[in-house]
Amino acid sequence: DAGVTQSPTHLIKTRGQQVTLRCSPKSGHDTVSWYQQALGQGPQFIFQYYEEEERQRGNFPDRFSGHQFPNYSSELNVNALLLGDSALYLCASSANRGITLHFGNGTRLTVT
Amino acid sequence: AQSVSQHNHHVILSEAASLELGCNYSYGGTVNLFWYVQYPGQHLQLLLKYFSGDPLVKGIKGFEAEFIKSKFSFNLRKPSVQWSDTAEYFCAVNADRGSTLGRLYFGRGTQLTVWP
């Protein structure tokens, strides 16, 4: 059991569409980070949410946005999808902005 | 920006062989270091971490890693691998201050295949 749950597990979208991915953190965790893992690469940091605010952001365009809810769950939104957005999107949670991360199984996004 | 290099992309070993996976990073300040493992079909799991203190860190499943500050390295080792160690291994680095606080930088991973 990952503790961190992500939905959906797989998603197929067309270029130009928008997508929303969801994450529930491990019990007791209040910080959620999102990572993108392209095929054959390591995860790349997208952003981190804590206290319902974006606290840090990686080198991703504004098409990538997020939200954190009062129950600490989080959403990742990607607008105007490009073929290059095809990847595994990982959610990771931690306590109090800690860096010991617990990862979910990820959402596999395919853009056609 | 920080970067993490894992020089071995695919390592193939027989059971009982010894393992060493290399990890080098580029950051001159104080770092926190991690090794994560991803078994087939499973989520990334923490193997071990180094924040401070003894540079030889022991993790789960018999793995250990050594932090060598002068070499900017954090190599993962296991004296005798098992078939069940077949997985992808990721090294990750975090700077303990500044604008990248809370962000992990990952290497591209090393796929380990262990033959029974």
PDB file of all heavy atoms in Angstrom, chain A residues 2 35 37 40-43 45 48 56-58 90 99-101 103-105, chain B residues 32 34 36 42-44 46 49 51 90 94 99-104 106-108:
ATOM      1  N   ALA A   2       0.707   2.089  -1.006  1.00  0.00           N
ATOM      2  CA  ALA A   2       1.566   3.256  -1.166  1.00  0.00           C
ATOM      3  C   ALA A   2       1.290   4.304  -0.104  1.00  0.00           C
ATOM      4  O   ALA A   2       2.153   5.113   0.203  1.00  0.00           O
ATOM      5  CB  ALA A   2       1.372   3.858  -2.543  1.00  0.00           C
ATOM      6  N   TYR A  35       5.716  15.520  -9.513  1.00  0.00           N
ATOM      7  CA  TYR A  35       6.876  15.274 -10.358  1.00  0.00           C
ATOM      8  C   TYR A  35       6.412  14.691 -11.681  1.00  0.00           C
ATOM      9  O   TYR A  35       5.428  13.941 -11.732  1.00  0.00           O
ATOM     10  CB  TYR A  35       7.848  14.287  -9.690  1.00  0.00           C
ATOM     11  CG  TYR A  35       8.635  14.871  -8.544  1.00  0.00           C
ATOM     12  CD1 TYR A  35       8.056  15.037  -7.283  1.00  0.00           C
ATOM     13  CD2 TYR A  35       9.959  15.274  -8.715  1.00  0.00           C
ATOM     14  CE1 TYR A  35       8.781  15.587  -6.231  1.00  0.00           C
ATOM     15  CE2 TYR A  35      10.692  15.815  -7.667  1.00  0.00           C
ATOM     16  CZ  TYR A  35      10.083  15.965  -6.432  1.00  0.00           C
ATOM     17  OH  TYR A  35      10.810  16.514  -5.394  1.00  0.00           O
ATOM     18  N   GLN A  37       7.735  12.268 -14.761  1.00  0.00           N
ATOM     19  CA  GLN A  37       8.778  11.318 -15.129  1.00  0.00           C
ATOM     20  C   GLN A  37       8.567  10.880 -16.576  1.00  0.00           C
ATOM     21  O   GLN A  37       7.689  10.070 -16.877  1.00  0.00           O
ATOM     22  CB  GLN A  37       8.771  10.103 -14.198  1.00  0.00           C
ATOM     23  CG  GLN A  37       9.938   9.162 -14.447  1.00  0.00           C
ATOM     24  CD  GLN A  37       9.971   7.985 -13.483  1.00  0.00           C
ATOM     25  OE1 GLN A  37       9.042   7.749 -12.716  1.00  0.00           O
ATOM     26  NE2 GLN A  37      11.065   7.244 -13.494  1.00  0.00           N
ATOM     27  N   GLY A  40      12.354   6.810 -19.505  1.00  0.00           N
ATOM     28  CA  GLY A  40      13.812   6.721 -19.461  1.00  0.00           C
ATOM     29  C   GLY A  40      14.507   7.825 -18.681  1.00  0.00           C
ATOM     30  O   GLY A  40      15.740   7.912 -18.711  1.00  0.00           O
ATOM     31  N   GLN A  41      13.734   8.640 -17.988  1.00  0.00           N
ATOM     32  CA  GLN A  41      14.304   9.733 -17.212  1.00  0.00           C
ATOM     33  C   GLN A  41      13.918   9.608 -15.744  1.00  0.00           C
ATOM     34  O   GLN A  41      13.000   8.866 -15.390  1.00  0.00           O
ATOM     35  CB  GLN A  41      13.797  11.077 -17.756  1.00  0.00           C
ATOM     36  CG  GLN A  41      14.104  11.313 -19.219  1.00  0.00           C
ATOM     37  CD  GLN A  41      15.594  11.397 -19.489  1.00  0.00           C
ATOM     38  OE1 GLN A  41      16.345  11.980 -18.705  1.00  0.00           O
ATOM     39  NE2 GLN A  41      16.037  10.796 -20.582  1.00  0.00           N
ATOM     40  N   GLY A  42      14.614  10.363 -14.922  1.00  0.00           N
ATOM     41  CA  GLY A  42      14.231  10.443 -13.528  1.00  0.00           C
ATOM     42  C   GLY A  42      13.120  11.469 -13.338  1.00  0.00           C
ATOM     43  O   GLY A  42      12.864  12.291 -14.220  1.00  0.00           O
ATOM     44  N   PRO A  43      12.433  11.406 -12.214  1.00  0.00           N
ATOM     45  CA  PRO A  43      11.376  12.392 -11.955  1.00  0.00           C
ATOM     46  C   PRO A  43      11.914  13.814 -11.939  1.00  0.00           C
ATOM     47  O   PRO A  43      13.015  14.054 -11.439  1.00  0.00           O
ATOM     48  CB  PRO A  43      10.870  11.981 -10.568  1.00  0.00           C
ATOM     49  CG  PRO A  43      11.241  10.537 -10.419  1.00  0.00           C
ATOM     50  CD  PRO A  43      12.539  10.405 -11.146  1.00  0.00           C
ATOM     51  N   PHE A  45      10.847  17.780 -10.811  1.00  0.00           N
ATOM     52  CA  PHE A  45       9.969  18.527  -9.912  1.00  0.00           C
ATOM     53  C   PHE A  45       9.115  19.516 -10.679  1.00  0.00           C
ATOM     54  O   PHE A  45       9.630  20.328 -11.462  1.00  0.00           O
ATOM     55  CB  PHE A  45      10.849  19.255  -8.890  1.00  0.00           C
ATOM     56  CG  PHE A  45      10.108  20.137  -7.926  1.00  0.00           C
ATOM     57  CD1 PHE A  45       9.456  19.596  -6.830  1.00  0.00           C
ATOM     58  CD2 PHE A  45      10.095  21.507  -8.094  1.00  0.00           C
ATOM     59  CE1 PHE A  45       8.801  20.401  -5.923  1.00  0.00           C
ATOM     60  CE2 PHE A  45       9.446  22.325  -7.196  1.00  0.00           C
ATOM     61  CZ  PHE A  45       8.792  21.783  -6.110  1.00  0.00           C
ATOM     62  N   GLN A  48       5.323  22.296  -5.512  1.00  0.00           N
ATOM     63  CA  GLN A  48       5.004  21.804  -4.179  1.00  0.00           C
ATOM     64  C   GLN A  48       3.905  22.663  -3.563  1.00  0.00           C
ATOM     65  O   GLN A  48       3.930  23.893  -3.696  1.00  0.00           O
ATOM     66  CB  GLN A  48       6.239  21.869  -3.281  1.00  0.00           C
ATOM     67  CG  GLN A  48       6.013  21.379  -1.857  1.00  0.00           C
ATOM     68  CD  GLN A  48       7.172  21.743  -0.944  1.00  0.00           C
ATOM     69  OE1 GLN A  48       7.313  22.880  -0.520  1.00  0.00           O
ATOM     70  NE2 GLN A  48       8.017  20.762  -0.644  1.00  0.00           N
ATOM     71  N   GLN A  56       6.846  26.181  -4.097  1.00  0.00           N
ATOM     72  CA  GLN A  56       8.018  26.127  -4.969  1.00  0.00           C
ATOM     73  C   GLN A  56       7.557  25.638  -6.322  1.00  0.00           C
ATOM     74  O   GLN A  56       6.564  24.898  -6.428  1.00  0.00           O
ATOM     75  CB  GLN A  56       9.057  25.145  -4.421  1.00  0.00           C
ATOM     76  CG  GLN A  56       9.884  25.651  -3.298  1.00  0.00           C
ATOM     77  CD  GLN A  56      11.261  25.050  -3.360  1.00  0.00           C
ATOM     78  OE1 GLN A  56      11.899  24.987  -4.405  1.00  0.00           O
ATOM     79  NE2 GLN A  56      11.750  24.596  -2.229  1.00  0.00           N
ATOM     80  N   ARG A  57       8.306  26.035  -7.337  1.00  0.00           N
ATOM     81  CA  ARG A  57       7.946  25.624  -8.685  1.00  0.00           C
ATOM     82  C   ARG A  57       9.207  25.283  -9.457  1.00  0.00           C
ATOM     83  O   ARG A  57      10.211  25.994  -9.359  1.00  0.00           O
ATOM     84  CB  ARG A  57       7.188  26.746  -9.382  1.00  0.00           C
ATOM     85  CG  ARG A  57       6.595  26.334 -10.708  1.00  0.00           C
ATOM     86  CD  ARG A  57       5.801  27.467 -11.336  1.00  0.00           C
ATOM     87  NE  ARG A  57       5.178  27.010 -12.571  1.00  0.00           N
ATOM     88  CZ  ARG A  57       3.965  26.498 -12.641  1.00  0.00           C
ATOM     89  NH1 ARG A  57       3.223  26.406 -11.560  1.00  0.00           N
ATOM     90  NH2 ARG A  57       3.469  26.099 -13.795  1.00  0.00           N
ATOM     91  N   GLY A  58       9.147  24.233 -10.216  1.00  0.00           N
ATOM     92  CA  GLY A  58      10.255  23.862 -11.093  1.00  0.00           C
ATOM     93  C   GLY A  58      10.122  24.559 -12.440  1.00  0.00           C
ATOM     94  O   GLY A  58       9.303  25.472 -12.608  1.00  0.00           O
ATOM     95  N   LEU A  90       3.885  11.824 -10.984  1.00  0.00           N
ATOM     96  CA  LEU A  90       3.994  11.284  -9.634  1.00  0.00           C
ATOM     97  C   LEU A  90       3.620  12.331  -8.611  1.00  0.00           C
ATOM     98  O   LEU A  90       4.030  13.491  -8.695  1.00  0.00           O
ATOM     99  CB  LEU A  90       5.433  10.832  -9.367  1.00  0.00           C
ATOM    100  CG  LEU A  90       5.958   9.712 -10.254  1.00  0.00           C
ATOM    101  CD1 LEU A  90       7.458   9.538 -10.046  1.00  0.00           C
ATOM    102  CD2 LEU A  90       5.233   8.411  -9.962  1.00  0.00           C
ATOM    103  N   ILE A  99      11.514  16.659   3.410  1.00  0.00           N
ATOM    104  CA  ILE A  99      12.038  16.168   2.142  1.00  0.00           C
ATOM    105  C   ILE A  99      12.109  14.665   2.083  1.00  0.00           C
ATOM    106  O   ILE A  99      12.600  14.109   1.096  1.00  0.00           O
ATOM    107  CB  ILE A  99      13.421  16.781   1.845  1.00  0.00           C
ATOM    108  CG1 ILE A  99      14.388  16.527   3.004  1.00  0.00           C
ATOM    109  CG2 ILE A  99      13.287  18.267   1.562  1.00  0.00           C
ATOM    110  CD1 ILE A  99      15.801  16.950   2.701  1.00  0.00           C
ATOM    111  N   THR A 100      11.650  13.983   3.088  1.00  0.00           N
ATOM    112  CA  THR A 100      11.510  12.527   2.993  1.00  0.00           C
ATOM    113  C   THR A 100      10.148  12.270   2.379  1.00  0.00           C
ATOM    114  O   THR A 100       9.117  12.369   3.039  1.00  0.00           O
ATOM    115  CB  THR A 100      11.639  11.864   4.370  1.00  0.00           C
ATOM    116  OG1 THR A 100      12.915  12.195   4.922  1.00  0.00           O
ATOM    117  CG2 THR A 100      11.538  10.352   4.226  1.00  0.00           C
ATOM    118  N   LEU A 101      10.156  11.968   1.098  1.00  0.00           N
ATOM    119  CA  LEU A 101       8.926  11.902   0.329  1.00  0.00           C
ATOM    120  C   LEU A 101       8.397  10.475   0.249  1.00  0.00           C
ATOM    121  O   LEU A 101       9.157   9.516   0.132  1.00  0.00           O
ATOM    122  CB  LEU A 101       9.176  12.413  -1.095  1.00  0.00           C
ATOM    123  CG  LEU A 101       9.721  13.827  -1.237  1.00  0.00           C
ATOM    124  CD1 LEU A 101       9.865  14.179  -2.715  1.00  0.00           C
ATOM    125  CD2 LEU A 101       8.866  14.836  -0.508  1.00  0.00           C
ATOM    126  N   PHE A 103       5.878   8.403  -2.244  1.00  0.00           N
ATOM    127  CA  PHE A 103       5.334   8.538  -3.583  1.00  0.00           C
ATOM    128  C   PHE A 103       4.110   7.664  -3.796  1.00  0.00           C
ATOM    129  O   PHE A 103       3.986   6.571  -3.218  1.00  0.00           O
ATOM    130  CB  PHE A 103       6.388   8.156  -4.627  1.00  0.00           C
ATOM    131  CG  PHE A 103       7.435   9.207  -4.841  1.00  0.00           C
ATOM    132  CD1 PHE A 103       8.554   9.265  -4.038  1.00  0.00           C
ATOM    133  CD2 PHE A 103       7.287  10.136  -5.860  1.00  0.00           C
ATOM    134  CE1 PHE A 103       9.519  10.249  -4.235  1.00  0.00           C
ATOM    135  CE2 PHE A 103       8.240  11.112  -6.068  1.00  0.00           C
ATOM    136  CZ  PHE A 103       9.353  11.174  -5.259  1.00  0.00           C
ATOM    137  N   GLY A 104       3.231   8.145  -4.663  1.00  0.00           N
ATOM    138  CA  GLY A 104       2.132   7.330  -5.158  1.00  0.00           C
ATOM    139  C   GLY A 104       2.574   6.518  -6.360  1.00  0.00           C
ATOM    140  O   GLY A 104       3.720   6.606  -6.802  1.00  0.00           O
ATOM    141  N   ASN A 105       1.653   5.724  -6.885  1.00  0.00           N
ATOM    142  CA  ASN A 105       1.960   4.883  -8.039  1.00  0.00           C
ATOM    143  C   ASN A 105       2.010   5.661  -9.351  1.00  0.00           C
ATOM    144  O   ASN A 105       2.512   5.157 -10.351  1.00  0.00           O
ATOM    145  CB  ASN A 105       0.950   3.756  -8.168  1.00  0.00           C
ATOM    146  CG  ASN A 105       1.141   2.699  -7.097  1.00  0.00           C
ATOM    147  OD1 ASN A 105       2.244   2.469  -6.621  1.00  0.00           O
ATOM    148  ND2 ASN A 105       0.057   2.050  -6.699  1.00  0.00           N
TER     149      ASN A 105
ATOM    150  N   ASN B  32      21.346  16.962   1.132  1.00  0.00           N
ATOM    151  CA  ASN B  32      20.704  15.769   1.663  1.00  0.00           C
ATOM    152  C   ASN B  32      20.586  14.787   0.501  1.00  0.00           C
ATOM    153  O   ASN B  32      20.255  15.187  -0.615  1.00  0.00           O
ATOM    154  CB  ASN B  32      19.317  16.101   2.217  1.00  0.00           C
ATOM    155  CG  ASN B  32      19.391  17.158   3.305  1.00  0.00           C
ATOM    156  OD1 ASN B  32      20.049  16.967   4.316  1.00  0.00           O
ATOM    157  ND2 ASN B  32      18.719  18.273   3.085  1.00  0.00           N
ATOM    158  N   PHE B  34      19.588  10.829  -1.186  1.00  0.00           N
ATOM    159  CA  PHE B  34      18.612   9.751  -1.118  1.00  0.00           C
ATOM    160  C   PHE B  34      18.892   8.717  -2.208  1.00  0.00           C
ATOM    161  O   PHE B  34      19.400   9.043  -3.285  1.00  0.00           O
ATOM    162  CB  PHE B  34      17.188  10.283  -1.355  1.00  0.00           C
ATOM    163  CG  PHE B  34      16.771  11.393  -0.441  1.00  0.00           C
ATOM    164  CD1 PHE B  34      17.165  12.696  -0.678  1.00  0.00           C
ATOM    165  CD2 PHE B  34      15.968  11.129   0.654  1.00  0.00           C
ATOM    166  CE1 PHE B  34      16.768  13.728   0.158  1.00  0.00           C
ATOM    167  CE2 PHE B  34      15.559  12.150   1.504  1.00  0.00           C
ATOM    168  CZ  PHE B  34      15.968  13.447   1.247  1.00  0.00           C
ATOM    169  N   TYR B  36      16.273   5.931  -3.987  1.00  0.00           N
ATOM    170  CA  TYR B  36      14.933   5.365  -4.096  1.00  0.00           C
ATOM    171  C   TYR B  36      14.991   4.153  -5.011  1.00  0.00           C
ATOM    172  O   TYR B  36      15.813   4.084  -5.933  1.00  0.00           O
ATOM    173  CB  TYR B  36      13.950   6.380  -4.677  1.00  0.00           C
ATOM    174  CG  TYR B  36      13.438   7.400  -3.698  1.00  0.00           C
ATOM    175  CD1 TYR B  36      14.134   8.576  -3.451  1.00  0.00           C
ATOM    176  CD2 TYR B  36      12.237   7.185  -3.016  1.00  0.00           C
ATOM    177  CE1 TYR B  36      13.649   9.520  -2.547  1.00  0.00           C
ATOM    178  CE2 TYR B  36      11.745   8.121  -2.117  1.00  0.00           C
ATOM    179  CZ  TYR B  36      12.455   9.283  -1.896  1.00  0.00           C
ATOM    180  OH  TYR B  36      11.978  10.197  -1.006  1.00  0.00           O
ATOM    181  N   GLN B  42       5.460  -1.052  -9.122  1.00  0.00           N
ATOM    182  CA  GLN B  42       5.252  -0.459  -7.800  1.00  0.00           C
ATOM    183  C   GLN B  42       5.701   1.002  -7.773  1.00  0.00           C
ATOM    184  O   GLN B  42       6.306   1.503  -8.700  1.00  0.00           O
ATOM    185  CB  GLN B  42       6.012  -1.256  -6.741  1.00  0.00           C
ATOM    186  CG  GLN B  42       5.514  -2.690  -6.581  1.00  0.00           C
ATOM    187  CD  GLN B  42       6.164  -3.391  -5.408  1.00  0.00           C
ATOM    188  OE1 GLN B  42       6.573  -2.745  -4.435  1.00  0.00           O
ATOM    189  NE2 GLN B  42       6.253  -4.704  -5.479  1.00  0.00           N
ATOM    190  N   HIS B  43       5.379   1.659  -6.659  1.00  0.00           N
ATOM    191  CA  HIS B  43       5.745   3.055  -6.500  1.00  0.00           C
ATOM    192  C   HIS B  43       7.200   3.191  -6.049  1.00  0.00           C
ATOM    193  O   HIS B  43       7.813   2.227  -5.599  1.00  0.00           O
ATOM    194  CB  HIS B  43       4.817   3.709  -5.473  1.00  0.00           C
ATOM    195  CG  HIS B  43       4.898   3.085  -4.108  1.00  0.00           C
ATOM    196  ND1 HIS B  43       4.239   1.923  -3.777  1.00  0.00           N
ATOM    197  CD2 HIS B  43       5.577   3.460  -2.997  1.00  0.00           C
ATOM    198  CE1 HIS B  43       4.494   1.612  -2.529  1.00  0.00           C
ATOM    199  NE2 HIS B  43       5.309   2.531  -2.026  1.00  0.00           N
ATOM    200  N   LEU B  44       7.730   4.372  -6.190  1.00  0.00           N
ATOM    201  CA  LEU B  44       9.069   4.681  -5.691  1.00  0.00           C
ATOM    202  C   LEU B  44       9.086   4.520  -4.181  1.00  0.00           C
ATOM    203  O   LEU B  44       8.235   5.060  -3.472  1.00  0.00           O
ATOM    204  CB  LEU B  44       9.442   6.124  -6.032  1.00  0.00           C
ATOM    205  CG  LEU B  44       9.995   6.413  -7.410  1.00  0.00           C
ATOM    206  CD1 LEU B  44       9.989   7.908  -7.674  1.00  0.00           C
ATOM    207  CD2 LEU B  44      11.399   5.856  -7.549  1.00  0.00           C
ATOM    208  N   LEU B  46      11.660   4.612  -0.621  1.00  0.00           N
ATOM    209  CA  LEU B  46      12.926   5.080  -0.078  1.00  0.00           C
ATOM    210  C   LEU B  46      13.767   3.891   0.390  1.00  0.00           C
ATOM    211  O   LEU B  46      13.322   3.085   1.195  1.00  0.00           O
ATOM    212  CB  LEU B  46      12.659   6.030   1.089  1.00  0.00           C
ATOM    213  CG  LEU B  46      13.883   6.638   1.743  1.00  0.00           C
ATOM    214  CD1 LEU B  46      14.606   7.574   0.780  1.00  0.00           C
ATOM    215  CD2 LEU B  46      13.480   7.414   3.009  1.00  0.00           C
ATOM    216  N   LYS B  49      18.690   7.235   3.226  1.00  0.00           N
ATOM    217  CA  LYS B  49      18.909   8.671   3.105  1.00  0.00           C
ATOM    218  C   LYS B  49      20.068   9.092   3.990  1.00  0.00           C
ATOM    219  O   LYS B  49      20.374   8.434   4.991  1.00  0.00           O
ATOM    220  CB  LYS B  49      17.648   9.445   3.495  1.00  0.00           C
ATOM    221  CG  LYS B  49      17.209   9.233   4.936  1.00  0.00           C
ATOM    222  CD  LYS B  49      15.878   9.935   5.207  1.00  0.00           C
ATOM    223  CE  LYS B  49      15.421   9.686   6.647  1.00  0.00           C
ATOM    224  NZ  LYS B  49      14.091  10.291   6.923  1.00  0.00           N
ATOM    225  N   PHE B  51      21.440  12.679   5.810  1.00  0.00           N
ATOM    226  CA  PHE B  51      21.287  14.103   6.116  1.00  0.00           C
ATOM    227  C   PHE B  51      22.565  14.653   6.743  1.00  0.00           C
ATOM    228  O   PHE B  51      23.009  15.744   6.407  1.00  0.00           O
ATOM    229  CB  PHE B  51      20.094  14.325   7.053  1.00  0.00           C
ATOM    230  CG  PHE B  51      18.732  14.153   6.404  1.00  0.00           C
ATOM    231  CD1 PHE B  51      17.576  14.280   7.150  1.00  0.00           C
ATOM    232  CD2 PHE B  51      18.604  13.855   5.056  1.00  0.00           C
ATOM    233  CE1 PHE B  51      16.321  14.127   6.558  1.00  0.00           C
ATOM    234  CE2 PHE B  51      17.365  13.684   4.449  1.00  0.00           C
ATOM    235  CZ  PHE B  51      16.215  13.827   5.209  1.00  0.00           C
ATOM    236  N   PHE B  90      17.070   5.020  -8.208  1.00  0.00           N
ATOM    237  CA  PHE B  90      17.229   6.449  -8.457  1.00  0.00           C
ATOM    238  C   PHE B  90      17.971   7.106  -7.298  1.00  0.00           C
ATOM    239  O   PHE B  90      17.603   6.917  -6.132  1.00  0.00           O
ATOM    240  CB  PHE B  90      15.871   7.137  -8.600  1.00  0.00           C
ATOM    241  CG  PHE B  90      15.102   6.733  -9.823  1.00  0.00           C
ATOM    242  CD1 PHE B  90      14.203   5.684  -9.774  1.00  0.00           C
ATOM    243  CD2 PHE B  90      15.283   7.401 -11.024  1.00  0.00           C
ATOM    244  CE1 PHE B  90      13.483   5.304 -10.891  1.00  0.00           C
ATOM    245  CE2 PHE B  90      14.569   7.031 -12.160  1.00  0.00           C
ATOM    246  CZ  PHE B  90      13.670   5.978 -12.088  1.00  0.00           C
ATOM    247  N   ASN B  94      18.993  16.912  -2.496  1.00  0.00           N
ATOM    248  CA  ASN B  94      18.286  18.120  -2.086  1.00  0.00           C
ATOM    249  C   ASN B  94      19.266  19.054  -1.403  1.00  0.00           C
ATOM    250  O   ASN B  94      20.079  18.608  -0.589  1.00  0.00           O
ATOM    251  CB  ASN B  94      17.154  17.757  -1.132  1.00  0.00           C
ATOM    252  CG  ASN B  94      16.625  18.945  -0.363  1.00  0.00           C
ATOM    253  OD1 ASN B  94      17.027  19.199   0.760  1.00  0.00           O
ATOM    254  ND2 ASN B  94      15.743  19.694  -0.983  1.00  0.00           N
ATOM    255  N   SER B  99      16.522  28.582  -2.525  1.00  0.00           N
ATOM    256  CA  SER B  99      15.288  28.546  -3.290  1.00  0.00           C
ATOM    257  C   SER B  99      14.859  27.145  -3.640  1.00  0.00           C
ATOM    258  O   SER B  99      13.714  26.924  -4.032  1.00  0.00           O
ATOM    259  CB  SER B  99      15.449  29.364  -4.579  1.00  0.00           C
ATOM    260  OG  SER B  99      16.450  28.784  -5.391  1.00  0.00           O
ATOM    261  N   THR B 100      15.762  26.167  -3.522  1.00  0.00           N
ATOM    262  CA  THR B 100      15.375  24.814  -3.905  1.00  0.00           C
ATOM    263  C   THR B 100      15.028  23.965  -2.694  1.00  0.00           C
ATOM    264  O   THR B 100      14.913  22.750  -2.800  1.00  0.00           O
ATOM    265  CB  THR B 100      16.502  24.124  -4.693  1.00  0.00           C
ATOM    266  OG1 THR B 100      17.663  24.040  -3.854  1.00  0.00           O
ATOM    267  CG2 THR B 100      16.826  24.880  -5.956  1.00  0.00           C
ATOM    268  N   LEU B 101      14.842  24.610  -1.540  1.00  0.00           N
ATOM    269  CA  LEU B 101      14.473  23.869  -0.339  1.00  0.00           C
ATOM    270  C   LEU B 101      13.212  23.063  -0.600  1.00  0.00           C
ATOM    271  O   LEU B 101      12.224  23.590  -1.091  1.00  0.00           O
ATOM    272  CB  LEU B 101      14.227  24.852   0.812  1.00  0.00           C
ATOM    273  CG  LEU B 101      13.888  24.232   2.167  1.00  0.00           C
ATOM    274  CD1 LEU B 101      15.094  23.504   2.708  1.00  0.00           C
ATOM    275  CD2 LEU B 101      13.467  25.330   3.133  1.00  0.00           C
ATOM    276  N   GLY B 102      13.244  21.797  -0.260  1.00  0.00           N
ATOM    277  CA  GLY B 102      12.069  20.959  -0.413  1.00  0.00           C
ATOM    278  C   GLY B 102      11.979  20.269  -1.739  1.00  0.00           C
ATOM    279  O   GLY B 102      11.099  19.439  -1.957  1.00  0.00           O
ATOM    280  N   ARG B 103      12.868  20.584  -2.678  1.00  0.00           N
ATOM    281  CA  ARG B 103      12.816  19.998  -4.009  1.00  0.00           C
ATOM    282  C   ARG B 103      13.900  18.943  -4.126  1.00  0.00           C
ATOM    283  O   ARG B 103      15.033  19.169  -3.738  1.00  0.00           O
ATOM    284  CB  ARG B 103      13.064  21.101  -5.033  1.00  0.00           C
ATOM    285  CG  ARG B 103      13.161  20.627  -6.443  1.00  0.00           C
ATOM    286  CD  ARG B 103      13.658  21.722  -7.368  1.00  0.00           C
ATOM    287  NE  ARG B 103      12.968  22.975  -7.178  1.00  0.00           N
ATOM    288  CZ  ARG B 103      13.085  24.009  -8.017  1.00  0.00           C
ATOM    289  NH1 ARG B 103      13.848  23.896  -9.088  1.00  0.00           N
ATOM    290  NH2 ARG B 103      12.453  25.130  -7.794  1.00  0.00           N
ATOM    291  N   LEU B 104      13.552  17.793  -4.682  1.00  0.00           N
ATOM    292  CA  LEU B 104      14.541  16.759  -4.957  1.00  0.00           C
ATOM    293  C   LEU B 104      14.924  16.799  -6.434  1.00  0.00           C
ATOM    294  O   LEU B 104      14.065  16.958  -7.298  1.00  0.00           O
ATOM    295  CB  LEU B 104      14.014  15.366  -4.619  1.00  0.00           C
ATOM    296  CG  LEU B 104      13.699  15.044  -3.162  1.00  0.00           C
ATOM    297  CD1 LEU B 104      13.456  13.556  -2.991  1.00  0.00           C
ATOM    298  CD2 LEU B 104      14.810  15.487  -2.239  1.00  0.00           C
ATOM    299  N   PHE B 106      16.549  14.366  -9.201  1.00  0.00           N
ATOM    300  CA  PHE B 106      16.772  12.946  -9.411  1.00  0.00           C
ATOM    301  C   PHE B 106      17.733  12.702 -10.559  1.00  0.00           C
ATOM    302  O   PHE B 106      17.765  13.447 -11.550  1.00  0.00           O
ATOM    303  CB  PHE B 106      15.452  12.241  -9.763  1.00  0.00           C
ATOM    304  CG  PHE B 106      14.549  12.004  -8.589  1.00  0.00           C
ATOM    305  CD1 PHE B 106      13.707  13.006  -8.128  1.00  0.00           C
ATOM    306  CD2 PHE B 106      14.530  10.775  -7.953  1.00  0.00           C
ATOM    307  CE1 PHE B 106      12.860  12.777  -7.047  1.00  0.00           C
ATOM    308  CE2 PHE B 106      13.683  10.535  -6.878  1.00  0.00           C
ATOM    309  CZ  PHE B 106      12.851  11.545  -6.428  1.00  0.00           C
ATOM    310  N   GLY B 107      18.503  11.620 -10.442  1.00  0.00           N
ATOM    311  CA  GLY B 107      19.237  11.112 -11.582  1.00  0.00           C
ATOM    312  C   GLY B 107      18.267  10.400 -12.521  1.00  0.00           C
ATOM    313  O   GLY B 107      17.089  10.209 -12.195  1.00  0.00           O
ATOM    314  N   ARG B 108      18.781   9.964 -13.677  1.00  0.00           N
ATOM    315  CA  ARG B 108      17.894   9.327 -14.646  1.00  0.00           C
ATOM    316  C   ARG B 108      17.626   7.866 -14.345  1.00  0.00           C
ATOM    317  O   ARG B 108      16.831   7.225 -15.051  1.00  0.00           O
ATOM    318  CB  ARG B 108      18.441   9.483 -16.051  1.00  0.00           C
ATOM    319  CG  ARG B 108      19.757   8.832 -16.307  1.00  0.00           C
ATOM    320  CD  ARG B 108      20.206   9.050 -17.745  1.00  0.00           C
ATOM    321  NE  ARG B 108      19.284   8.428 -18.693  1.00  0.00           N
ATOM    322  CZ  ARG B 108      19.392   8.527 -20.002  1.00  0.00           C
ATOM    323  NH1 ARG B 108      20.375   9.236 -20.519  1.00  0.00           N
ATOM    324  NH2 ARG B 108      18.538   7.944 -20.797  1.00  0.00           N
TER     325      ARG B 108
END
